Amino acid sequence: QQPLARLMSAQALASQLTRLPQPLQFALVGGCAAATHLVVVALLVQLTQMAPLVANVLAFLAAFVVSYNGHALLTFSSAGARGWPVVGRYFAVACLSFVGNELLYALALDWLHWHYLWSLAGVLLLVAVATFVLSKFWAFKA
């Protein structure tokens, strides 16, 4: 009985999430992707002593999977845009955002000398707005 109750709870949660305003859905999915990004960077830097800028590239790829699936299944699901062309457009948006992310991250690390995690958190917030606009009006447009 517990697995059925959990499934029903998950369905209820999914139903509630679809009722949220789209920018809030975007923020929730983006928050999950950003958390993934931050955790992967932290783990790679702490456990392997990988350079933060290198770890950031690998973390970007992990976060992309979370971001694309969340936006396709929740944020922009009503557009009905699916398939490899959408993945390609969204990957282009994500890469453009990542280039901005990486440049701003390098500035925060090298010029401002901020802690690598605080720097990354700030940069992720800055690029989120542009990512939403490009995703909504181009990448996930049906």
Side-chain angles (χ1 to χ4, degrees), residues 109-134:
L109 291 172
D110 295 338
W111 287 11
L112 301 175
H113 305 287
W114 290 355
H115 186 272
Y116 71 92
L117 286 178
W118 288 115
S119 297
L120 183 58
V123 166
L124 290 172
L125 288 172
L126 287 174
V127 298
V129 173
T131 302
F132 176 78
V133 171
L134 288 170

Side-chain angles (χ1 to χ4, degrees), residues 7-135:
L7 178 61
M8 291 174 68
S9 294
Q11 289 172 335
L13 176 61
S15 177
Q16 292 293 338
L17 290 174
T18 60
R19 293 186 190 127
L20 293 173
Q22 191 178 46
L24 189 52
Q25 291 174 350
F26 184 84
L28 287 172
V29 171
C32 290
T36 300
H37 199 134
L38 286 166
V39 167
V40 171
V41 167
L43 288 172
L44 290 172
V45 170
Q46 293 299 315
L47 298 177
T48 70
Q49 283 67 52
M50 186 178 288
L53 288 172
V54 175
N56 196 37
V57 174
L58 298 175
F60 163 75
L61 295 173
F64 174 79
V65 173
V66 173
S67 181
Y68 172 78
N69 285 295
H71 292 317
L73 297 172
L74 178 65
T75 312
F76 304 112
S77 64
S78 63
R82 299 283 189 275
W84 288 110
V86 177
V87 173
R89 288 192 305 266
Y90 186 65
F91 190 72
V93 168
C95 287
L96 181 62
S97 295
F98 180 72
V99 167
N101 166 318
E102 195 76 349
L103 290 172
L104 291 171
Y105 193 36
L107 289 173
L109 291 172
D110 295 338
W111 287 11
L112 301 175
H113 305 287
W114 290 355
H115 186 272
Y116 71 92
L117 286 178
W118 288 115
S119 297
L120 183 58
V123 166
L124 290 172
L125 288 172
L126 287 174
V127 298
V129 173
T131 302
F132 176 78
V133 171
L134 288 170
S135 297

